[in-house]
């Protein structure tokens, strides 16, 4: 079950990164980047690195977008 969760989450992160790269509309790209950053923060939580996850969530989703 946990392996399925990792697979779904990593697939989401890859597709969000591709969406950021290929979207032409700046607002859509920003929203996709916020989703990417949130996904990566969840990956860091699952890897038991809460300090890195908090930094990623604050910088990636908060400050950058």
């Amino acid at each position: 079950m946990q392996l399925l969760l990792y697979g779904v989450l990593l697939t989401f992160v890859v597709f969000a990164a591709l969406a950021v790269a290929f979207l032409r509309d700046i607002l859509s790209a920003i929203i996709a980047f916020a989703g990417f950053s949130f996904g990566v923060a969840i990956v860091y939580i699952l890897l038991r690195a809460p300090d890195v996850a908090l930094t990623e969530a604050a910088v990636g989703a908060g400050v950058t977008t």
Side-chain angles (χ1 to χ4, degrees):
M1 183 69 183
Q2 193 173 12
L3 188 62
L4 178 66
L5 175 67
Y6 289 151
V8 168
L9 188 59
L10 290 176
T11 303
F12 170 75
V13 168
V14 168
F15 280 125
L18 289 173
V20 171
F22 290 116
L23 284 173
R24 300 251 180 210
D25 183 31
I26 189 72
L27 183 60
S28 299
I30 289 172
I31 292 169
F33 184 75
F36 168 78
S37 179
F38 180 71
V40 170
I42 297 298
V43 168
Y44 286 140
I45 288 289
L46 293 175
L47 292 174
R48 300 179 193 260
D51 53 339
V52 179
L54 184 62
T55 304
E56 173 64 30
V59 173
V63 175
T64 305
T65 57

